[in-house]
Each structure stands twice: as C-alpha cells, then as structure tokens.
Amino acid sequence: MKLGIPEWAPFVFFGALFFFGVPALVYIFKKKTYEKTEYRFFKDRLEYSEGFLTAQDKTIKYDKITETSMRRGVVQKRFGLGTIFLATPASGYQQSRAGSGIRIKDVEQPEKLYAQIEGLIGK
C-alpha cells in the first residue's frame, strides 16, 4: 500500500533536519558554555571556569605567565570585543590557541583589560 509520499521526501526531510538541526544544537551548546564561563582576577592569580557539558577550571599565577597577546577579529572589532591570550611555560601555541594558558574570549574594551593585566604581571 502506497501512502502517496514521494520517494524523495524522506531525503529532503532528513537533509533539512540535519541542515538546520546541527547548527541549532551547536548554537545552544556554545551559548550555554558561554553563559557558564567565568574569570576571577585576584592580586596574585587568575581563576578561570568554563563548561556546560564538560567543566574546566584553571588557575594561573601571574608570575607564571610568560607571554600575553591580544587579538581582535573582524567581527570582534565591529562589536568592540577582543581575545587576550595568557601563555604559561608549558603551553606554547597551537593554531592561535594557548594550550595550558588561558584565553579570555570576547571581552569588552580589550585594550584596557590588556593594559591592566600587563600591570598585574609586571608586579
């Protein structure tokens, strides 16, 4: 018994589900992770906490930071944001990402925060 559904309909349905569903899930997970990200600055250290599905906590003492850098992409510039990298001796860089350092993502007024961090590290 035939239901009158074209043979191609399941392919279109699952293709559309995949095309719209995967980006929607990625957006939701990124948004939840973004909401759970927290940076806490103290006199002698920086504590970082992130995670929605997988939690990650890091603490870096300022005297262990070997290098700082700031990056502002095209979209970040448009919205006045930037990313600051804090590298530690064991981290190195892998494709613009600090391995065991900390990446402070999408901060407002990144130049101001960068200068403040440079002041903290120099002490």
Side-chain angles (χ1 to χ4, degrees):
M1 181 167 140
K2 202 164 186 176
L3 298 174
I5 298 174
E7 290 181 16
W8 52 265
F11 296 106
V12 171
F13 173 75
F14 288 111
L17 184 66
F18 183 79
F19 186 76
F20 294 108
V22 171
L25 285 175
V26 169
Y27 171 77
I28 290 167
F29 286 125
K30 288 278 189 185
K31 186 174 186 298
K32 293 290 185 186
T33 300
Y34 209 69
E35 290 172 356
K36 298 282 184 184
T37 301
E38 189 175 326
Y39 303 95
R40 293 176 297 280
F41 291 88
F42 297 96
K43 288 169 126 180
D44 62 337
R45 70 190 184 283
L46 168 62
E47 293 180 358
Y48 162 78
S49 178
E50 171 187 84
F52 171 61
L53 294 176
T54 304
Q56 178 181 3
D57 296 314
K58 285 186 182 182
T59 299
I60 292 185
K61 295 190 179 203
Y62 297 136
D63 62 349
K64 302 295 182 198
I65 295 173
T66 58
E67 184 179 348
T68 60
S69 63
M70 180 180 60
R71 180 177 57 103
R72 298 181 72 202
V74 175
V75 175
Q76 287 178 319
K77 282 183 185 179
R78 170 74 175 97
F79 293 101
L81 304 173
T83 299
I84 298 172
F85 298 96
L86 305 175
T88 57
S91 64
Y93 281 97
Q94 300 150 0
Q95 298 176 354
S96 299
R97 188 172 181 174
S100 66
I102 290 182
R103 193 167 69 154
I104 305 171
K105 300 179 250 180
D106 298 329
V107 293
E108 293 179 349
Q109 301 176 349
E111 296 89 356
K112 184 178 177 182
L113 181 60
Y114 184 74
Q116 290 174 338
I117 291 172
E118 285 288 318
L120 289 170
I121 293 170
K123 289 183 179 180

